[in-house]
Amino acid sequence: MARQRQAPEPPPCFALVIPGLEEVAEEEITKDLRGQVKRTGRGIVVFRPPEVDASLLHLRTAEDVFLLGWGTDQLTYRAEDLDRIRRWTAREVDWDRLLRLHHQVRPKPKGKPTYHLVAQMTGVHGYRRVDARKALAEGLAGKLPASWRHAEEKAAVEVWLTINGATAVCGLRLSDRTMRHRSYKREHLPASLRPTLAAAMVRLAEVRPNQTVLDPMCGAGTILAEVLEAGRNAKGGGIRVLGGDLDLTALRAAAANVRRLGRAFLARWDARRLPLADQSVDRLVSNPPFGKQLGRPEDIGPLYRQMVAEYHRVLGPWARAVLLVSDLGALKEAARAVGWKLLRSLKVRVLGQPAALTVWKKG
Ligand SMILES: C[S@@+](CC[C@H](N)C(=O)[O-])C[C@H]1O[C@@H](n2cnc3c(N)ncnc32)[C@H](O)[C@@H]1O
């Protein structure tokens, strides 16, 4: 009897995410992609996808996605790590297979292919980033076709080594800059959110079809854009998207950013006095000023109190609010005054500052 050949299992992949968003990325990988999460480290989620195809590039909470060559949680921080990087890169990886899979997702460009090596490193190690990159290059010697040329920019294939404390992952990058920057983001403001963080906020809001979603301080509209994108991908749709800001320049940027994605109602307003009916909103997703780039730290307490009282008025019973703030204490005080319940709180960094990504339920 002829034995049936089983299709080989797809290799593991990894996603780089904003530190603090690992749990949300794990949920997206498990529920939306139907992948199996294997390991999670700070800013890194290793998983096995059901297939290696373009669906990997649709992950919204990942900054970048890679085919995994090798990974470890046991770097020593000493120079001997460099030998391991060299050895694992040379011996532990079937680079031919990874390249074939890479070309399935990102077809080979015409002409002589080019490659680029990237090493990034956080934590204090007894060697420099350039040493790690050199070890990677040495390990790769003879692994890529001899005709391929090194290129600093727009290379067809990128091999990345990411070292984060004792954890390191090395692999072929499947994504490009549009994954993290998105193609809708035409206008940028200094306090604008990174799209993957906005996507994580929208995910935590658990928006359902036919709901009304509001960002009362929408800035350049990143959250609104992510709501529209998520709504387009979800079955059902019919989501009503509302946004506003005190600042006209921000509103213009928001209009430019969301224009191609669908319909959002935009208005100039003060979020402390919204021109909206009581209990007319199902989900509120927003990041108010941190009091650093915009506003003063001493204004944050009073602003949060007034804004939460107003948000409480416009939210329907059992509605959710997802708020990204710098001063969690001030937000908790404001939420206590209206009886909101804190469902979840994640620690993230925004523009180098610690921040809390919080999910609230109106009782
Ligand atoms: C941190 S930014 C929001 C960034 C936005 N999520 C983005 O990705 O571009 C905060 C925004 O709140 C706006 N803002 C501050 N106080 C406000 C108020 N009382 N009412 C409405 N908007 C306000 C600011 O103009 C600013 O655009």
Side-chain angles (χ1 to χ4, degrees), residues 191-193 217-220 222 245-247 269-272 287 289 294:
S192 208
L193 278 182
M217 300 191 182
C218 70
T222 323
D245 203 287
L246 261 183
D247 179 16
W269 62 36
D270 185 336
R272 294 166 293 186
N287 82 296
L294 302 170

Side-chain angles (χ1 to χ4, degrees), residues 292-326:
K292 306 269 164 52
Q293 269 182 309
L294 302 170
R296 297 176 310 167
E298 60 271 29
D299 296 334
I300 289 300
L303 172 68
Y304 284 10
R305 268 197 301 284
Q306 291 166 359
M307 113 196 157
V308 167
E310 183 65 347
Y311 296 174
H312 186 70
R313 181 185 70 76
V314 298
L315 283 171
W318 315 114
R320 265 181 186 229
V322 177
L323 295 171
L324 176 69
V325 295
S326 56

Side-chain angles (χ1 to χ4, degrees), residues 104-152:
Q104 279 177 27
V105 179
R106 308 191 65 84
K108 249 203 232 167
K110 292 196 180 89
K112 275 220 167 88
T114 49
Y115 70 94
H116 182 63
L117 305 187
V118 175
Q120 41 184 15
M121 196 159 101
T122 48
V124 182
H125 296 77
Y127 44 90
R128 299 166 306 163
R129 190 167 63 91
V130 284
D131 303 322
R133 188 180 179 281
K134 186 161 170 266
L136 173 69
E138 287 164 0
L140 268 177
K143 302 290 170 191
L144 303 177
S147 59
W148 287 25
R149 294 282 161 262
H150 183 264
E152 278 307 322

